[in-house]
């Protein structure tokens, strides 16, 4: 099927120079903040639950499993509604109402968390987080295309980056606020002391979070600056893609049930042989879940090539590879941060207590803010010289914000002052990539591999900096992958976007997989998992450029005009 250059950005929309609706954009980015605040806060919540409920590293990662699996289920439900009903539910409600409904649903999840905490049940807390993330799934499905629609399509990626920058501000302060809420002080608390803490602080935390969700919903609902965003377009049919995804979901459910049920086992009561058997059991099912996603999508694409009818967006190889790339990207981004607290506890990394890991976790997630702030500069109309200057200054300002926020929380940031060297490396990488998505993704993917390998073969400050820099190199990947994956999809662009949102599922599979590997070979060596993920992302950047070129699209050349 020949694909024209006009299909490059989205839905055959020409670049018209539409002015950006800054009022609506300003309101919209509040939801980006919530995603980051809660997701990064989980990185502190994980070690808290690990010691309070006496879990192993794998069991603690079920927090990510519940949270990110909800994104997949939510996006799949929206797609299934459109496939059977013939209309996109988000388009029917409109972007504005969809975000409001998503915020209300997340507030219900916060209420479920409070109920579970009162019952002192870890599984109930997982259900609460699942409901919160279901609301996020609806919000994200709406907010991504909504931000692109609020102005010139040519600067749509920059608006997504701007939202990402606000999202990353949430990820920066999330660990600090959650740590202070859970531990109540910046003084060191031992892991044994964590086990004796009261869960009442979790109730206060999620009461505040639920109230913020309701406040944001009211802000959206009553804001006159935010357009309704209703779309009357019919959903493009893709019954074969739907059935393939439903089969894949059924197989994933078969893999997840035994994995989830195994969290009830108290590994401290097992002998070495029983522990080894349990580790093998969990690893088998987790690898099976990973295989279901990889093999399932590849089989779907091969089948679509033979007979495209009924496969919708999945007939495009760039979309299927992009789905895998989003799966891997979200997985590596979450896995590095969620396992960081356990890594820092090791003697080779300073023996830092879980209650004192917050500034490091904040720096990791803040590293994503550094890159996204730099990536959002293009959304503003600036001279070439001003843009050049800001690309140097903004990342350093963002680094200062992270140091300042943690210092205000009375954390000693001395050990992280020289991390600015890693920020300089990222700034150089930005200049070399020259705002070209495929080139940017390739460079940052290779830098991610180099950082993980450096961290694996070193210890102490160098290794910590190397692992933290994974956040710098993840920072700009989402819009690059998203743009390259939907390039040339034309009328299937919206459907392709929904498929990509589903693949946030990677955050529910890859972190537990690394956690299980950590139980087997040690937390330090488990970072080979992120190294492999970055390698795949570099491969995607290389391969997708050739795929698009064969379809008559040179995305980097078009964007660089």
């Amino acid at each position: 099927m020949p694909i024209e250059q006009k299909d490059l950005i989205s839905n055959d929309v020409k670049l018209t120079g539409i002015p950006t609706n800054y009022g609506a954009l300003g309101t919209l980015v509040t939801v980006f903040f919530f995603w980051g605040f809660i997701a990064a806060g989980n990185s502190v919540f994980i070690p808290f639950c690990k010691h309070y409920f006496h879990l192993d590293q794998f069991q603690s990662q079920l927090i990510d499993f519940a949270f990110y699996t909800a994104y997949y289920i939510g996006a799949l439900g929206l797609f299934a509604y459109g496939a059977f009903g013939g209309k996109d539910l988000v388009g029917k409600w409109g972007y504005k109402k969809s975000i409001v409904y998503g915020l209300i649903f997340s507030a219900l999840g916060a209420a479920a968390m409070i109920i579970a905490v009162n019952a002192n049940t870890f599984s109930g807390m997982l259900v609460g987080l699942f409901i919160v993330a279901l609301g996020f799934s609806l919000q994200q499905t709406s907010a991504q295309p909504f931000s692109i629609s609020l102005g010139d399509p040519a600067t749509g990626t920059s608006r997504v980056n701007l939202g990402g920058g606000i999202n990353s501000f949430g990820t920066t302060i999330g660990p600090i606020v959650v740590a202070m809420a859970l531990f109540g002080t910046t003084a060191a608390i031992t892991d044994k002391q964590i086990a004796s803490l009261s869960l009442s602080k979790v109730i206060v935390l999620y009461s505040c979070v639920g109230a913020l969700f309701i406040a944001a919903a009211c802000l959206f609902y009553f804001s006159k600056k935010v357009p309704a965003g209703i779309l009357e377009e019919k959903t493009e049919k893709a019954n074969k893609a739907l059935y393939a995804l439903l089969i894949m979901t059924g197989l994933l459910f078969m893999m997840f049930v035994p994995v989830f049920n195994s969290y009830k086992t108290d590994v401290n009561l097992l002998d070495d042989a029983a522990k080894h058997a349990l580790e093998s059991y969990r690893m088998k099912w987790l690898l099976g879940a990973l295989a279901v996603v990889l093999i399932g999508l590849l089989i779907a694409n091969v089948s679509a090539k033979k007979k495209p009818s009924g496969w919708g967006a999945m007939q495009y190889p760039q979309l299927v590879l992009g789905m895998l790339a989003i799966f891997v990207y979200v997985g590596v981004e979450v896995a590095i941060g969620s396992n960081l607290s356990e890594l820092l506890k090791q003697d080779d990394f300073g023996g830092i207590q879980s209650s004192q890991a917050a500034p490091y976790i904040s720096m990791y997630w803040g590293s994503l803010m550094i890159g996204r702030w730099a990536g959002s500069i293009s959304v503003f109309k600036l001279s070439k010289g001003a843009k050049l200057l800001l690309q140097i200054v903004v990342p350093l300002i963002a680094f200062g914000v992270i140091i300042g926020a943690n210092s205000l929380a009375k954390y000693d940031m001395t050990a992280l002052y020289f991390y600015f060297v890693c920020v300089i490396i990222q700034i150089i990488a930005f200049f070399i990539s020259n705002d070209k998505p495929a080139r940017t993704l390739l460079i940052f993917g290779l830098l991610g591999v180099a950082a993980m390998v450096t961290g694996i073969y070193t210890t102490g400050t160098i290794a910590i900096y190397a692992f933290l820099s994974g956040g710098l190199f993840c920072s700009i990947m989402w819009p690059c992958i998203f743009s390259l994956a939907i390039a040339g999809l034309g009328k299937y662009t919206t459907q392709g976007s929904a498929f990509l949102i589903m693949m946030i599922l990677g955050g529910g599979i890859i972190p537990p997989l690394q956690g299980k590997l950590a139980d087997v070979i040690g937390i330090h060596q488990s970072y080979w998992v992120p190294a492999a993920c970055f390698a795949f992302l570099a491969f995607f950047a290389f391969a997708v450029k050739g795929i698009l070129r064969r379809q008559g699209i040179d995305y980097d050349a078009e964007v660089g005009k």
Side-chain angles (χ1 to χ4, degrees):
M1 169 182 307
I3 300 178
E4 300 179 85
Q5 286 287 344
K6 66 179 181 179
D7 292 328
L8 184 60
I9 304 298
S10 66
N11 286 331
D12 299 344
V13 178
K14 293 184 179 180
L15 309 184
T16 57
I18 302 169
T20 300
N21 184 340
Y22 288 108
L25 184 61
T27 306
L28 177 64
V29 295
T30 58
V31 298
F32 284 80
F33 174 84
F34 283 123
W35 305 336
F37 182 91
I38 299 298
N42 285 346
S43 297
V44 174
F45 199 53
I46 284 170
F48 173 82
C49 288
K50 176 180 179 178
H51 299 295
Y52 186 88
F53 291 104
H54 306 289
L55 310 173
D56 62 22
Q57 187 62 13
F58 161 76
Q59 290 169 324
S60 69
Q61 295 296 311
L62 289 176
I63 289 173
D64 282 335
F65 170 80
F67 191 78
Y68 290 98
T69 300
Y71 274 93
Y72 173 77
I73 298 299
L76 178 61
L78 290 172
F79 172 60
Y81 178 91
F84 288 121
K87 281 191 175 182
D88 177 16
L89 185 60
V90 171
K92 179 181 177 181
W93 285 342
Y95 294 135
K96 182 176 180 177
K97 283 187 177 179
S98 295
I99 292 172
V100 170
Y101 295 156
L103 286 164
I104 292 172
F105 207 84
S106 292
L108 293 175
M113 276 288 289
I114 294 169
I115 294 170
V117 169
N118 278 320
N120 199 34
T121 167
F122 180 60
S123 58
M125 293 167 75
L126 295 179
V127 171
L129 283 171
F130 182 86
I131 296 172
V132 169
L134 274 179
F136 282 6
S137 176
L138 178 56
Q139 294 167 43
Q140 189 142 330
T141 302
S142 310
Q144 298 286 346
F146 197 16
S147 61
I148 293 173
S149 72
L150 293 176
D152 192 329
T155 57
T157 298
S158 296
R159 284 190 293 280
V160 174
N161 270 332
L162 179 63
I166 301 300
N167 171 276
S168 293
F169 180 65
T171 66
T172 300
I173 68 170
I176 303 171
V177 173
V178 172
M180 294 184 70
L182 295 178
F183 306 126
T185 176
T186 57
I189 298 176
T190 65
D191 294 339
K192 288 184 178 179
Q193 288 173 319
I194 290 175
S196 63
L197 289 175
S198 170
L199 283 178
S200 60
K201 292 178 180 179
V202 180
I203 295 176
V204 174
L205 173 65
Y206 274 90
S207 295
C208 294
V209 167
L212 287 173
F213 285 146
I214 296 296
C218 292
L219 176 66
F220 257 87
Y221 184 79
F222 292 109
S223 176
K224 295 181 180 180
K225 295 179 180 178
V226 181
I230 296 173
L231 299 175
E232 298 294 342
E233 295 180 3
K234 288 187 177 180
T235 302
E236 294 295 335
K237 290 190 176 182
N239 291 335
K240 291 180 181 177
L242 174 61
Y243 297 145
L245 287 169
L246 290 175
I247 292 171
M248 191 170 79
T249 303
L251 293 173
L252 284 172
F253 183 78
M254 292 170 58
M255 302 293 171
F256 287 160
V257 167
V259 169
F260 186 81
N261 283 339
S262 72
Y263 96 86
K264 300 174 183 177
T265 304
D266 189 344
V267 294
N268 297 314
L269 301 178
L270 303 177
D271 58 28
D272 290 341
K275 285 181 181 179
H276 179 74
L278 180 61
E279 288 167 354
S280 299
Y281 174 83
R282 288 170 169 171
M283 185 67 79
K284 175 182 69 177
W285 290 109
L286 282 170
L287 289 173
L290 183 63
V292 165
V293 175
L294 297 178
I295 297 173
L297 289 178
L298 292 175
I299 290 176
N301 186 242
V302 170
S303 300
K305 281 183 180 178
K306 293 178 181 178
K307 194 173 181 181
S309 177
W311 283 100
M314 275 195 184
Q315 66 189 276
Y316 295 89
Q318 65 267 34
L319 188 275
V320 175
L321 269 180
M323 291 171 71
L324 290 175
I326 289 289
F327 177 89
V328 169
Y329 158 71
V330 176
V332 69
E333 177 186 283
V334 176
I336 294 173
S338 294
N339 287 284
L340 190 59
S341 179
E342 184 66 19
L343 178 77
L344 294 172
K345 285 170 54 182
Q346 310 307 306
D347 291 339
D348 287 341
F349 292 87
I352 299 167
Q353 295 290 327
S354 298
S355 61
Q356 288 292 290
Y360 293 89
I361 295 171
S362 175
M363 182 60 75
Y364 170 72
W365 289 105
S367 294
L368 279 90
M369 179 182 76
I370 293 170
R372 288 170 180 169
W373 279 19
S376 64
I377 291 171
S378 298
V379 77
F380 304 104
K381 292 184 178 181
L382 302 167
S383 66
K384 190 173 182 180
K387 182 179 178 182
L388 182 67
L389 178 62
L390 287 176
Q391 284 181 329
I392 297 172
V393 173
V394 167
L396 296 175
I397 291 175
F399 175 68
V401 168
I402 301 165
I403 295 291
N406 282 276
S407 297
L408 286 173
K410 301 186 185 304
Y411 285 110
D412 182 4
M413 299 300 290
T414 306
L416 291 169
Y417 285 163
F418 289 100
Y419 185 67
F420 82 89
V421 174
C422 298
V423 178
I424 297 297
I425 293 173
Q426 187 202 46
I427 291 172
I428 295 171
F430 265 119
F431 280 114
I432 296 173
S433 61
N434 197 27
D435 284 336
K436 296 184 176 182
R439 184 192 294 181
T440 299
L441 189 58
L442 177 61
I443 292 171
F444 279 60
L446 293 175
L447 284 172
V449 173
M452 295 303 104
V453 172
T454 299
I456 290 167
Y457 283 105
T458 58
T459 56
T461 301
I462 293 176
I464 291 173
Y465 281 16
F467 289 133
L468 290 178
S469 69
L472 291 172
F473 305 132
C474 280
S475 63
I476 203 69
M477 286 184 169
W478 173 278
C480 292
I481 297 169
F482 212 95
S483 299
L484 292 165
I486 64 173
L489 266 60
K491 63 182 181 180
Y492 294 109
T493 299
T494 301
Q495 188 182 96
S497 299
F499 288 159
L500 291 172
I501 297 296
M502 288 181 202
M503 290 298 103
I504 292 176
L505 171 69
I509 294 180
I510 292 177
L513 185 60
Q514 183 179 348
K516 183 68 261 160
L517 193 61
D519 289 332
V520 177
I521 65 174
I523 188 67
H524 191 186
Q525 294 302 310
S526 74
Y527 274 79
W528 279 112
V529 172
C533 291
F534 279 120
F536 175 80
L537 292 167
F539 163 76
F540 169 74
F542 176 80
V544 74
K545 191 170 183 178
I547 290 170
L548 292 175
R549 188 174 291 134
R550 287 192 291 275
Q551 297 176 4
I553 300 171
D554 189 342
Y555 198 96
D556 277 356
E558 183 71 14
V559 172
K561 286 181 179 179

